């Protein structure tokens, strides 16, 4: 599921968006109100896949989105060992 598909379903007024990183803690990206601030988020962020969702102790949503660089590294690694076909290869 992508972030753009999830935001209209959230009734909470505060949503924290974090980027899931391969190494280290998640990186905070933005604090939004999904009902009022839909236009303040970049299209790149809205198009990212959801990694996980949680609720903090003060009832705020925490959404963790996938890191695009980690996704590209994973695809390249899977292609190099032959598990998937490399779509960027022009052969």
């Amino acid at each position: 599921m992508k972030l753009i598909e999830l935001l209209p379903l959230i009734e909470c007024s505060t949503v924290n968006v974090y980027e899931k990183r391969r190494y280290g803690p998640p990186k905070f990206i933005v604090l939004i109100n999904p009902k009022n601030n839909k236009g303040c988020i970049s299209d790149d962020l809205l198009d990212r896949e959801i990694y996980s969702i949680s609720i903090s102790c003060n009832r705020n949503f925490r959404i963790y989105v996938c890191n695009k660089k980690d996704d590209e590294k994973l695809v390249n690694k899977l292609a190099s060992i032959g598990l998937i076909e490399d779509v960027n290869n022009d052969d």
Side-chain angles (χ1 to χ4, degrees):
M1 175 178 258
K2 294 187 179 204
L3 185 59
I4 195 167
E5 298 167 345
L6 179 66
L7 287 178
L9 304 175
I10 298 175
E11 295 293 327
C12 185
S13 63
T14 306
V15 177
N16 294 306
V17 180
Y18 294 86
E19 180 179 60
K20 173 72 172 100
R21 298 190 305 182
R22 187 174 196 152
Y23 303 106
K27 177 183 169 187
F28 176 77
I29 298 175
V30 68
L31 171 74
I32 61 169
N33 180 337
K35 301 298 180 193
N36 297 333
N37 296 332
K38 291 180 186 173
C40 298
I41 304 171
S42 72
D43 291 338
D44 178 52
L45 180 59
L46 288 172
D47 198 38
R48 291 203 193 175
E49 292 288 327
I50 303 288
Y51 180 80
S52 66
I53 302 168
S54 66
I55 298 176
S56 66
C57 59
N58 57 354
R59 305 282 231 190
N60 294 342
F61 267 78
R62 290 184 182 170
I63 299 175
Y64 297 89
V65 294
C66 295
N67 182 333
K68 289 236 181 205
K69 290 181 183 176
D70 284 347
D71 290 345
E72 291 171 6
K73 288 178 186 176
L74 179 62
V75 167
N76 291 338
K77 183 169 181 149
L78 292 175
S80 70
I81 60 176
L83 291 177
I84 63 171
E85 186 176 327
D86 188 1
V87 295
N88 296 325
N89 191 355
D90 292 336
D91 292 344

